[in-house]
Amino acid sequence: QVQLVESGGGSVQAGGSLRLSCVVFLSAIRGRCMGWFRQAPGKEREGVAVIGTDGVATYADPVKDRFTISKDNGKNTLFLQSNTLKPEDTAMYYCAASDSYASCRATTVSASGMRYWGKGTLVTISS
């Protein structure tokens, strides 16, 4: 069973930065689409950013130009660099992975196709 473990969350002031990491155990990420999603208290889960096997990323509008998704296939790790954080970025952040394919393109920030999920890491931004 593929396991995803997030880390890097915390409490920072508005304008600050955080770098989230997601280590994937028991299977390679090389052939998978990967993504970050978040859920704020009382709200539905929403997509943040996704990345395909070709390294091309797609971002949700609220985080464009502030967040950067990346991955290290050798370390089986997904990252989310989040800058200029705002109070509305406060949420539990989840890492997700698709099944493994020869190739996978992540053209929409959608949970559709994501099969494996981590338990999340909490990000709290104070004003």
Side-chain angles (χ1 to χ4, degrees):
Q1 180 73 4
V2 178
Q3 296 180 8
L4 288 70
V5 180
E6 303 95 336
S7 63
S11 297
V12 299
Q13 289 189 326
S17 299
L18 285 172
R19 189 189 196 206
L20 307 185
S21 299
C22 171
V23 179
V24 180
F25 296 94
L26 303 180
S27 185
I29 67 171
R30 187 176 304 276
R32 303 179 187 273
C33 280
M34 304 287 297
W36 287 98
F37 299 81
R38 66 187 183 186
Q39 187 167 19
K43 295 187 177 181
E44 293 187 354
R45 184 182 61 195
E46 63 176 357
V48 174
V50 293
I51 186 167
T53 54
D54 55 2
V56 175
T58 303
Y59 297 90
D61 286 343
V63 306
K64 279 182 181 177
D65 301 322
R66 298 190 298 123
F67 289 14
T68 302
I69 187 172
S70 62
K71 60 177 181 170
D72 185 331
N73 289 334
K75 295 182 178 180
N76 240 30
T77 303
L78 180 73
F79 301 100
L80 183 71
Q81 178 65 45
S82 52
N83 299 328
T84 319
L85 285 160
K86 304 176 181 180
E88 51 263 44
D89 294 319
T90 295
M92 186 71 80
Y93 283 70
Y94 299 93
C95 168
S98 72
D99 279 326
S100 184
Y101 303 98
S103 66
C104 179
R105 295 183 63 197
T107 56
T108 60
V109 189
S110 171
S112 175
M114 296 298 174
R115 181 174 180 182
Y116 304 98
W117 294 81
K119 293 184 178 181
T121 185
L122 182 62
V123 171
T124 304
I125 311 302
S126 59
S127 57

